[in-house]
Amino acid sequence: MPEPTEATEDAPLIDESEIDDENLLGSVPSNSLSYFGADFDVAGLVRRLDARDIFVPQYDPDGSDGSAIEGFQRPHVWPVKRMEEFIESLLLGWPVPSIFLVLDADQRYLVLDGQQRINTLAHFYKGYYPDGKVFELRNVAENLKGVTYVTLSPEARRKLDNTFIQATVIEPKGVHGPDAVYRLFGRLNSGGMMLTSQEIRVALYRGAATNLIRELNHDINWRRLFGAQHKRLKDHELILRVLAMLEVLQKVENRWTEASVTSSAYKPPLSDFLNAYLTRHKELSIDRIGKLSKLFTAACESLVIASDVDGLKYSGSINAAHVDALLSAVMWEMAQNGSVDPSRIVAAVGILRADSSYENFITKSTSHRDSVLGRLRLASAAISRLS
């Protein structure tokens, strides 16, 4: 994890340095990875997972377990149906996809691709689903209905134990090895519906900002506003949007009519804009981390006081565009004037809900420059005019 850099007390809230948007990740030398094929028997995979000789480097909570590879994997997300189908395929002797493992410096294996399959095996062998219910096959071939690992016949159990799953084992080389691993993870998971954008970001854009977002996601008032932690990191992505929009507000500083200012403050598409923010802030000073943390926690607390758990909702549900505008506007006002009375937040939300332009900005083409800048301008004005 990149260490925070030291800074003076009057350090700015953000770093204004320019970046090359077309080369966000830099180059990774071609010799940063080597690989070889290997076959693992199913029983051996489960045994290694139980012994932590194979482990999943999760992002939140951090599951890197002392490895040089920082945590980047999502939690187990497969539904029961997918888990049953995978076990059924193995019991029927059907082919299953291979897995990708990374050989760490201490000779343990990190799961790069295939954690849902490996975790499914572990749960089947233990006899329980992640929610604690008995792992008993139901929506499967007739001869397998009602089967658990314990009730398999000795022959079927041996066959499953001895079934081989193909693996590609990756060995990082040199100082660029970890970066190459994260790049490969993004490449393996960039298609289809396998991972969300934020799930890939935590691997590709590691650094101070990504780690700060992980910490902020556990803020007690943020959890009250958002609800339970999201398995697909949607809560992390919302915090990222808020921090990135706060930076837009600082860059504009109420110069909304100056096209040269607004055009450089936000550049669509939104996904690239968020990636650029994380790249720009792979390193943050201790002072800046403290300021951002203080602003975020104070803003969330004020929203809870103002509207209880409904503080970020618009028309009854959480609207991401409304969240990034309102929360960043509250944080920006706090950055300038120290605090925002909760009653002002209630009044500001009432102003925004009555504004048809604001409704359009948070419901239509929400990543377009006009929509982003429009909702930020209105949210900021609604908060500041009540000062």
Side-chain angles (χ1 to χ4, degrees), residues 103-151:
L103 184 60
D104 202 16
D106 61 5
Q107 299 303 297
R108 291 181 300 169
Y109 292 105
L110 286 70
V111 181
L112 183 67
D113 184 64
Q115 72 139 319
Q116 306 298 324
R117 282 160 273 162
I118 293 176
N119 280 333
T120 295
L121 288 173
H123 283 295
F124 185 65
Y125 272 63
K126 291 175 182 176
Y128 297 94
Y129 287 109
D131 63 3
K133 295 180 180 179
V134 175
F135 199 145
E136 180 180 305
L137 301 181
R138 298 183 182 277
N139 300 305
V140 292
E142 196 64 34
N143 65 311
L144 295 178
K145 288 184 181 296
V147 164
T148 66
Y149 179 73
V150 172
T151 61

Side-chain angles (χ1 to χ4, degrees), residues 36-40 45 97-101 164-170:
F36 59 89
D39 291 332
F40 289 84
L45 279 174
S98 62
I99 61 178
F100 282 76
L101 303 174
F164 284 98
I165 292 181
Q166 292 182 331
T168 299
V169 179
I170 309 296

